[in-house]
Amino acid sequence: MSLDALYQQVILDHAKERHGSGFAERLAEAQAAGFGESHQLNPVCGDEVTVRVAVADGAIQSLRWEGQGCSISMASASVLHDLAEGASPEEFRQVADAFREMLRSRGQIAGDPEVLGDAAAFEGVSRFAARVKCAMIAWVAAEDAARQAGA
Amino acid sequence: MALVSVPAPLRPASVGTAHSSELDDSEAERIRHDFPALDQAVNGRPLVYLDSGATSQKPRSVLEAEQDFYETRNAAVHRGAHELAVRATDAYEEARATVAAFVGVDPAELVWTSNATEALNLVAYAFSNATVWAERGRGTAELRRFALGPGDEIVVTELEHHANLIPWQELAFRTGATLRYIPVDDDGRLDLAEAARIIGPNTRLVAFSHASNLLGTVSPVEELVGLARGAGAFTVLDACQSVPHMPVDFKALDVDFAAFSGHKMLAPTGIGALYGRRELLDALPPFLVGGSMITTVTMERAEYLPAPQRFEAGTQRISQAVAFAAAVDYLRETGMQRIAAREARLGERLAQGIAALDGVRLLGPAPGEEWYVHPRFGIAAFDVAGVHAHDVGQYLDSRGVAVRVGHHCAQPLHRRLGLTASTRASAYVYTTEADIDAFLAALAEVRGFFGVTSKAGS
């Protein structure tokens, strides 16, 4: 299997840029709204991500995260931030479901950029079974945090 | 005790008995052909297997020994009067004698376990059972020497594998004893001055690893055993990474208990061994109880056999034990001194190659450096600045190179070294210089692939 299918350039870029990483700047706003926080750990590799979600006026106002881990897990959190902020909870659920379905398909389901945006670049991950959890960890945290926020 | 060998056809065909000469690259190349799993391509490249520290590959003679057992001698052991049961029992006990002799102990002092983790848990649970027995007045007064309670201290080190840490955490919890640890410095070196301060009159048990699964170092056993003896404490040695790679004699090391696993030394998974000083094993209460380990059973109570049966409840791992002995025969034929010398050279080649790369931090001793008067054995772990260990491992895998990534079951040591994960290359008897060079060539490409040019983050 080609390594370039796993590490697409958009993933390597997100892994470096880490959109939405860091809690300091918008914490006050987040805590004022419907708020949820979730910490997820992958005991196999030690990757960990904490996601904070603030929901108000029928939309995810803020999704911030902090974590450490491999490029796949960090890029996935960065893409998550871009997709979730501004989305309604229902829209986010649909994106998360499509993302999960693609990752679990063992290469059978191609990512639809119309639905998934940059997250479609993770379709190659589904062929590397050992890395699927890396791509999911931030999303699992986001779903849990969103539930807590009442979304 | 006579040494028992496997039949001649099961001996490694390609390994001569000339033990005087160095185990060189051409011999390693021949040895390699005894291992079917090494003869394959992975991701379009010839497999370069540098994950023997996690588990070793198996030579044909070991695979054949296990198959031969099932084809000719399979039966339950220590029960039944039929011919196959006798043959199976003989094979099982001969295997015990072979493996016991390999580590310099008597057969009655070697207990089969599922793996080293179970061996260490066995000791921990036997001690807590002794604590309960002593509290309730069961057994002889002699049991009191194993009983633990508030004020007693169990000592481990900061570099332990989780298997030699968590059983002691839980034993401390169950008994009210305190767990203390010998710290390491920024490089991972044990602080022996601190060890001398920590191990004292309250110390009842000292558990430490013989060889580090991360740093490639051999521990100062003599010093630590001396401190423990001086304090009247029991010693437990985690020998998982030493027994496969160097000559080991537990009697000479003067430890009370020692654990090692078969699968790291050419044997199948599912079998490990516990060494215990005979008088200690016979005095300790059992851990798992049930069939095959009793003398008399009534509806109210049971009496137990002496060691080793005392600790082998239920149907045992018979074919694995037989194959374990075949693995030991393979290693003995090759020569443990020669294997240790070979691994020291491979470890140095790994260390030099890794340390020479920009932005790669070698963990443990620097190239050419000896810690506690021992060279690095065939393990080298490292951190690549700006690239997570999983990504390093994935890149190497795409080049056919198998290494271990993650925390290697040593989270506290990683934390101490300022890391959450690392990458580890580990060699064994079948590793060639070409394997190491292929690994180093692939490792040199990693930072370029992930677009990491600065050394930031190292």
Side-chain angles (χ1 to χ4, degrees):
Chain A
M1 254 164 294
S2 159
L3 206 57
D4 294 331
L6 176 65
Y7 294 112
Q8 293 192 30
Q9 192 56 45
V10 62
I11 291 181
L12 295 180
D13 290 345
H14 270 286
K16 286 205 193 90
E17 291 165 14
R18 302 194 178 195
H19 302 168
S21 173
F23 288 142
E25 44 191 299
R26 287 198 275 177
L27 183 60
E29 173 195 331
Q31 282 180 333
F35 178 71
E37 174 178 315
S38 177
H39 172 253
Q40 299 291 324
L41 172 77
N42 182 347
V44 177
C45 55
D47 286 1
E48 54 188 319
V49 174
T50 301
V51 172
R52 289 178 177 173
V53 170
V55 178
D57 306 327
I60 294 172
Q61 303 294 334
S62 163
L63 184 150
R64 307 285 306 177
W65 62 278
E66 283 187 353
Q68 52 179 3
C70 65
S71 58
I72 302 294
S73 65
M74 296 296 98
S76 157
S78 174
V79 169
L80 164 73
H81 162 84
D82 290 354
L83 288 172
E85 282 201 346
S88 73
E90 181 51 31
E91 286 165 344
F92 172 63
R93 260 192 296 275
Q94 283 173 8
V95 173
D97 287 346
F99 187 61
R100 179 179 277 113
E101 188 188 24
M102 175 186 78
L103 284 173
R104 289 183 175 170
S105 74
R106 294 192 173 253
Q108 298 306 302
I109 297 176
D112 180 356
E114 292 289 312
V115 178
L116 290 173
D118 280 357
F122 288 79
E123 67 180 16
V125 177
S126 76
R127 292 183 180 276
F128 293 81
R131 306 304 296 275
V132 169
K133 274 191 176 169
C134 309
M136 278 309 301
I137 185 170
W139 293 64
V140 169
E143 288 174 321
D144 183 33
R147 261 192 302 275
Q148 294 174 34
Chain B
M1 178 55 58
L3 298 185
V4 178
S5 304
V6 289
L10 297 183
R11 286 171 189 278
S14 61
V15 180
T17 49
H19 284 201
S20 51
S21 65
E22 188 174 275
L23 199 172
D24 59 12
D25 218 41
S26 60
E27 185 176 341
E29 196 63 59
R30 286 198 302 276
I31 287 173
R32 191 187 166 90
H33 292 302
D34 290 338
F35 293 75
L38 294 176
D39 184 24
Q40 61 178 312
V42 167
N43 292 326
R45 313 260 181 148
L47 171 62
V48 173
Y49 187 77
L50 290 174
D51 197 18
S52 294
T55 197
S56 68
Q57 297 301 341
K58 322 303 175 195
R60 216 168 268 110
S61 63
V62 168
L63 306 177
E64 288 168 0
E66 189 158 13
Q67 180 161 0
D68 175 71
F69 172 80
Y70 279 120
E71 288 180 351
T72 62
R73 287 168 287 176
N74 181 47
V77 299
H78 291 302
R79 60 184 85 155
H82 58 78
E83 173 60 24
L84 284 191
V86 173
R87 283 191 219 163
T89 303
D90 285 350
Y92 181 66
E93 291 304 329
E94 283 167 11
R96 190 195 307 276
T98 300
V99 175
F102 186 68
V103 290
V105 307
D106 296 331
E109 297 178 312
L110 190 104
V111 177
W112 298 124
T113 61
S114 291
N115 46 42
T117 299
E118 188 186 285
L120 293 163
N121 274 278
L122 187 163
V123 178
Y125 274 96
F127 270 73
S128 61
N129 285 345
T131 305
V132 174
W133 284 30
E135 274 170 13
R136 309 224 172 139
R138 183 173 174 187
T140 61
E142 179 184 38
L143 264 184
R144 297 212 164 272
R145 62 185 168 142
F146 304 116
L148 299 172
D152 290 331
E153 293 176 355
I154 301 166
V155 175
V156 298
T157 83
E158 200 172 10
L159 57 71
E160 295 311 311
H161 187 285
H162 297 164
N164 198 31
L165 168 61
I166 305 170
W168 310 119
Q169 291 176 347
E170 293 294 334
L171 176 62
F173 171 76
R174 289 195 300 275
T175 59
T178 302
L179 183 75
R180 303 185 68 184
Y181 67 86
I182 301 163
V184 298
D185 67 14
D186 292 347
D187 295 328
R189 228 187 242 93
L190 284 167
D191 185 337
L192 289 175
E194 194 65 9
R197 217 177 53 74
I198 289 170
I199 298 172
N202 296 331
T203 308
R204 302 292 311 283
L205 186 149
V206 180
F208 61 98
S209 54
H210 192 184
S212 166
N213 71 324
L214 191 72
L215 304 174
T217 53
V218 179
S219 299
V221 179
E222 201 176 323
E223 286 86 339
L224 293 172
V225 168
L227 290 171
R229 287 265 168 269
F234 296 107
T235 49
V236 181
L237 190 70
D238 173 356
C240 283
Q241 295 290 356
S242 58
V243 172
H245 303 290
M246 55 200 77
V248 173
D249 183 326
F250 292 137
K251 296 277 187 186
L253 293 175
D254 197 27
V255 291
D256 294 316
F257 302 94
F260 57 106
S261 57
H263 72 93
K264 290 191 200 294
M265 49 189 288
L266 314 183
T269 52
I271 189 154
L274 171 72
Y275 157 70
R277 219 182 272 282
R278 185 171 199 161
E279 46 112 9
L280 301 180
L281 286 183
D282 284 341
L284 277 167
F287 162 40
L288 299 175
V289 292
S292 297
M293 47 78 74
I294 48 81
T295 53
T296 310
V297 180
T298 65
M299 286 311 295
E300 288 73 35
R301 50 173 294 136
E303 300 290 335
Y304 302 118
L305 286 165
Q309 270 74 36
R310 187 181 191 77
F311 298 102
E312 294 177 0
T315 300
Q316 289 298 298
R317 317 134 185 101
I318 312 164
S319 66
Q320 292 96 324
V322 170
F324 197 164
V328 157
D329 278 330
Y330 190 101
L331 293 171
R332 221 173 35 191
E333 292 272 326
T334 309
M336 288 311 293
Q337 283 289 0
R338 302 171 74 237
I339 291 173
R342 166 76 175 172
E343 283 206 37
R345 290 192 296 277
L346 294 178
E348 179 62 17
R349 195 179 186 94
L350 280 170
Q352 275 185 11
I354 292 166
L357 294 173
D358 270 348
V360 182
R361 169 189 170 194
L362 174 71
L363 307 182
E369 197 178 19
E370 292 194 348
W371 286 12
Y372 327 115
V373 214
H374 276 284
R376 174 190 288 273
F377 67 104
I379 277 184
F382 54 89
D383 177 56
V384 179
V387 186
H388 190 274
H390 264 215
D391 295 322
V392 175
Q394 194 83 57
Y395 184 81
L396 295 178
D397 181 59
S398 76
R399 297 296 180 266
V401 180
V403 295
R404 175 82 187 264
V405 298
H407 51 61
H408 316 299
C409 299
Q411 286 185 12
L413 178 57
H414 273 89
R415 208 169 287 128
R416 181 65 184 82
L417 298 174
L419 302 167
T420 54
S422 65
T423 308
R424 180 185 74 184
S426 52
Y428 206 12
V429 60
Y430 40 65
T431 304
T432 62
E433 289 169 14
D435 286 336
I436 289 174
D437 295 346
F439 152 74
L440 291 170
L443 179 60
E445 298 164 359
V446 165
R447 298 182 87 229
F449 179 84
F450 288 100
V452 183
T453 47
S454 78
K455 292 188 187 179
S458 59

